[in-house]
Amino acid sequence: MAAGGNPGPRVTDCVTKVALSISCENLLDMDTFSKSDPLCVLFMNSSGSQWCEIGRTEKIKNCLNPSFSKTFVIDYYFEMVQKLKFEVYDIDSDNCSLQNSDFLGELECTLGQIVSSRKLTRPLVMKDKRPAGKGTITICAEERTDNRVVELDVAARKLDKKDFFGKSDPFLEIYKQTETGWQLAHRTEVVKYNLNPTWKRFRVPLQSLCGGDVEKSIKVDCYDYNSSGSHNFIGSFQATLSQIQQASQAYGAEFECINSKKKQKKKGYKNSGIIIIKHCKIVKEYTFLDYIMGGCQINFTIAIDFTGSNGDPRYPMSLHYINPQGYNEYLAAIWAVGNVIQDYDSDKMFPAFGFGAQIPPTWQVSHEFPINFNASDPFCAGIEGVVSAYQQCLPQVKLYGPTNFSPIINHVAHFGRQALQQETASQYFVLLIITDGVITDMDETRQAIVNASRLPLSIIIVGVGGADFSAMEFLDGDDGILRSATGEAAMRDIVQFVPFRQFQNSPQEVLAQSVLAEVPGQVVSFFNTMSLRPPHSNTPLPDHSASAPPSNVS
């Protein structure tokens, strides 16, 4: 049991995961000289008019009938009305920003509607509810209880030359067989000017590829990419996953790439090239619950902004003013996020720091001081301990400045770096920064985040008050990959920014849901990338030699 008699995470509740795949037809054409470049964004309604972005598909160039290969995996709760909104945009910028994009239509529906139909096709509408031309959107749902993935290394040789002046630019599309026909499961990247390409290793969920049935046919189509959107078909083959697995165990599995139209026309036609599957292995990919139930600890650190721009805590205009009911936005954010996180931290001891204040006895400005003023033991017992340390700290410090984030990020990153020595996925760190605004050490903060993106660490920033938070939005790499001032790219997106004012009148759970929405995915992607398994797990790790016994498909 967790402290205070609350049960911890309800491990008995088996959440059903549902994967949604999306395609559209007859989208509006917004581009003058080419076709639209669509992308679909999925939002979930948490309460009232609040929509929280769940994720985005890839962008498909020059295409009015896109099938997106990226699926959204959502927890489906039977007892909740889960409102979803799908928005389709024509993306014209490289960083996929929605601000500069043309809106192509939207659909609002519930997850229950999609799940009960399994395949839902509806017309797209504009913001004023009139039809978006003849555009429609189709959403297919499938239950994701099988979390095995197929890892593939694919190459080809002697593909047909499709381009008049140069070589082909080949890519592959892999399809799953369903009752209603072939459904796109994965699209590889394009390899430019190469008739003997090797594609990057990729993983496809076993469910998406063959519904978990290795005896079901899959279809692999090879195309020559054209920027106009009308790609040239090179050839195709079909095989079952078990055939591919058996053939690829000794050497690469080779399949003739056949273009049936060419075959009918040409007498001596052999093939349009050979597709070689060099590596095909079924591995288990762990879920967030696998890690949490397998003994991974989430270590939660809180950092509070004590800069002068918050206003004097003694007066009601200050963001640090605690009203007679014991409320301010800082406390509300600590309670909301802490209450969810504390279930995942076994000792319930949370280090809590302040930054941007002059602190006794020397009144030096500090950017990482423990709010209990105990440098050797900055831990507070439970969220209640954090709250009382904060209340006692306020009258003892002088709010000052500047607003530097990098010292506290580097402080937590130091522990994340030590945890890299771990042989299993036993430690993950979450840093909650609560702040009223503008960062003064932006370049250092960007560098600190880029460095931290290689560590078991996620950063949540809650913005309180009414300041301009555009810099925070920039750090939350949803509009493209965050880079340091020197151009170094983050390995993954680890920052989630949430403005508190959006949630001021919502129940506490809603803020927590939005703030913590990305953490499970960040935990899973980090540990899977590092090939770390949960501490208490007997399943062998993925990524080992192909000679491993087939027992690891369980």
Side-chain angles (χ1 to χ4, degrees):
M1 298 283 273
N6 298 332
R10 296 178 301 171
V11 293
T12 49
D13 295 5
C14 185
V15 176
T16 307
K17 292 210 172 294
V18 176
L20 304 180
S21 46
I22 297 161
S23 58
C24 301
E25 290 199 328
N26 304 313
L27 291 176
L28 290 169
D29 198 351
M30 293 296 197
D31 293 350
T32 323
F33 299 110
S34 62
K35 299 189 185 93
S36 293
D37 304 336
L39 167 150
C40 180
V41 187
L42 171 58
F43 296 88
M44 189 178 265
N45 179 278
S46 33
S47 74
S49 57
Q50 290 303 327
W51 290 96
C52 170
E53 183 178 321
I54 298 292
R56 304 176 179 197
T57 65
E58 75 279 19
K59 169 175 89 170
I60 296 184
K61 283 196 134 176
N62 293 318
C63 184
L64 301 181
N65 303 300
S67 286
F68 299 102
S69 70
K70 182 176 162 130
T71 53
F72 298 110
V73 180
I74 305 181
D75 289 344
Y76 167 63
Y77 296 97
F78 181 71
E79 66 277 15
M80 274 169 64
V81 176
Q82 290 170 281
K83 291 187 195 160
L84 302 178
K85 181 162 63 174
F86 299 84
E87 293 189 351
V88 185
Y89 289 88
D90 169 23
I91 300 288
D92 289 321
S93 60
D94 285 340
N95 69 353
C96 292
S97 159
L98 301 183
Q99 276 74 25
N100 317 327
S101 306
D102 292 317
F103 182 70
L104 300 179
E106 65 178 21
L107 167 69
E108 269 186 50
C109 62
T110 68
L111 186 54
Q113 286 170 320
I114 299 171
V115 169
S116 56
S117 358
R118 279 189 53 201
K119 186 174 184 178
L120 182 78
T121 301
R122 292 276 167 90
L124 288 164
V125 296
M126 301 307 276
K127 294 284 184 197
D128 59 6
K129 302 299 175 213
R130 61 192 169 86
K134 295 191 174 128
T136 60
I137 185 166
T138 299
I139 301 134
C140 295
E142 64 180 22
E143 188 176 331
R144 261 292 153 83
T145 44
D146 185 342
N147 54 355
R148 290 173 297 167
V149 294
V150 183
E151 195 172 68
L152 291 157
D153 272 345
V154 187
R157 66 168 185 266
K158 295 189 176 167
L159 293 175
D160 281 0
K161 181 176 160 212
K162 288 286 182 184
D163 295 348
F164 197 61
F165 294 113
K167 294 176 177 165
S168 298
D169 307 318
F171 68 94
L172 301 176
E173 287 190 341
I174 301 173
Y175 290 87
K176 164 189 180 176
Q177 197 173 26
T178 69
E179 298 88 62
T180 52
W182 294 103
Q183 187 180 324
L184 180 67
H186 185 80
R187 184 185 288 117
T188 67
E189 83 277 17
V190 176
V191 178
K192 289 274 191 187
Y193 317 122
N194 199 331
L195 301 179
N196 303 297
T198 298
W199 290 278
K200 286 185 195 125
R201 175 173 287 195
F202 58 91
R203 287 179 163 193
V204 189
L206 195 63
Q207 281 291 106
S208 321
L209 196 60
C210 56
D213 180 356
V214 295
E215 299 302 334
K216 227 179 190 172
S217 272
I218 56 178
K219 179 166 77 103
V220 179
D221 286 353
C222 184
Y223 287 92
D224 168 34
Y225 174 84
N226 279 325
S227 55
S228 67
S230 56
H231 310 301
N232 295 324
F233 179 66
I234 295 176
S236 176
F237 76 88
Q238 287 178 34
T240 67
L241 191 57
S242 76
Q243 286 168 341
I244 294 170
Q245 267 196 302
Q246 281 164 357
S248 65
Q249 262 170 5
Y251 307 100
E254 302 202 346
F255 296 92
E256 289 189 292
C257 197
I258 301 297
N259 184 327
S260 48
K261 281 187 182 166
K262 256 184 148 179
K263 194 175 179 179
Q264 285 166 356
K265 283 184 190 164
K266 271 183 146 180
K267 264 206 169 137
Y269 176 82
K270 277 194 176 148
N271 59 49
S272 294
I274 305 284
I275 305 285
I276 310 144
I277 298 179
K278 299 192 286 191
H279 166 95
C280 171
K281 187 154 177 247
I282 296 176
V283 294
K284 178 177 163 70
E285 211 161 62
Y286 294 104
T287 63
F288 180 61
L289 276 181
D290 283 334
Y291 285 115
I292 294 304
M293 289 155 63
C296 176
Q297 281 300 307
I298 305 276
N299 301 287
F300 184 46
T301 302
I302 297 171
I304 297 169
D305 180 338
F306 287 101
T307 54
S309 50
N310 284 280
D312 187 328
R314 292 172 299 179
Y315 301 109
M317 291 306 290
S318 168
L319 291 166
H320 279 300
Y321 174 74
I322 300 175
N323 74 11
Q325 286 76 46
Y327 174 92
N328 70 23
E329 290 187 16
Y330 280 92
L331 285 168
I334 293 168
W335 276 119
V337 181
N339 272 337
V340 176
I341 282 270
Q342 69 179 354
D343 281 340
Y344 300 105
D345 191 318
S346 60
D347 65 4
K348 312 271 180 291
M349 297 298 288
F350 302 119
F353 295 90
F355 59 92
Q358 293 176 315
I359 59 169
T362 59
W363 304 107
Q364 285 285 97
V365 175
S366 172
H367 297 293
E368 45 166 323
F369 61 92
I371 60 171
N372 65 2
F373 298 111
N374 183 345
S376 59
D377 185 10
F379 292 88
C380 304
I383 296 305
E384 297 88 349
V386 176
V387 167
S388 74
Y390 165 71
Q391 289 167 330
Q392 287 165 36
C393 168
L394 263 177
Q396 298 184 59
V397 298
K398 292 180 184 163
L399 273 56
Y400 207 69
T403 310
N404 290 351
F405 275 23
S406 58
I408 192 66
I409 294 172
N410 290 330
H411 175 92
V412 178
H414 168 73
F415 297 100
R417 202 160 282 113
Q418 287 178 336
L420 277 183
Q421 311 304 313
Q422 62 193 5
E423 288 172 11
T424 58
S426 54
Q427 303 283 335
Y428 194 91
F429 294 83
V430 175
L431 168 61
L432 170 67
I433 300 176
I434 313 174
T435 178
D436 77 326
V438 186
I439 304 178
T440 31
D441 65 339
M442 191 62 168
D443 286 356
E444 291 82 352
T445 295
R446 281 162 64 188
Q447 186 65 55
I449 292 170
V450 167
N451 296 346
S453 71
R454 292 164 175 70
L455 304 173
L457 172 63
S458 292
I459 300 168
I460 294 161
I461 304 173
V462 175
V464 295
D468 171 16
F469 289 124
S470 49
M472 311 292 177
E473 303 278 9
F474 169 75
L475 294 175
D476 183 345
D478 286 349
D479 269 355
I481 295 170
L482 177 73
R483 291 180 182 276
S484 71
T486 56
E488 185 188 354
M491 187 174 99
R492 55 199 189 97
D493 174 17
I494 61 166
V495 178
Q496 165 79 332
F497 170 70
V498 179
F500 186 88
R501 57 178 164 236
Q502 283 186 2
F503 298 93
Q504 243 163 340
N505 306 315
S506 314
Q508 193 177 299
E509 308 73 84
V510 179
L511 173 68
Q513 276 169 1
S514 179
V515 163
L516 297 168
E518 293 181 13
V519 171
Q522 290 169 353
V523 171
V524 168
S525 75
F526 178 79
F527 287 135
N528 275 325
T529 305
M530 303 299 282
S531 296
L532 291 173
R533 62 167 183 246
H536 317 310
S537 160
N538 50 11
T539 309
L541 279 176
D543 287 334
H544 289 331
S545 68
S547 59
S551 63
N552 68 345
V553 299
S554 62

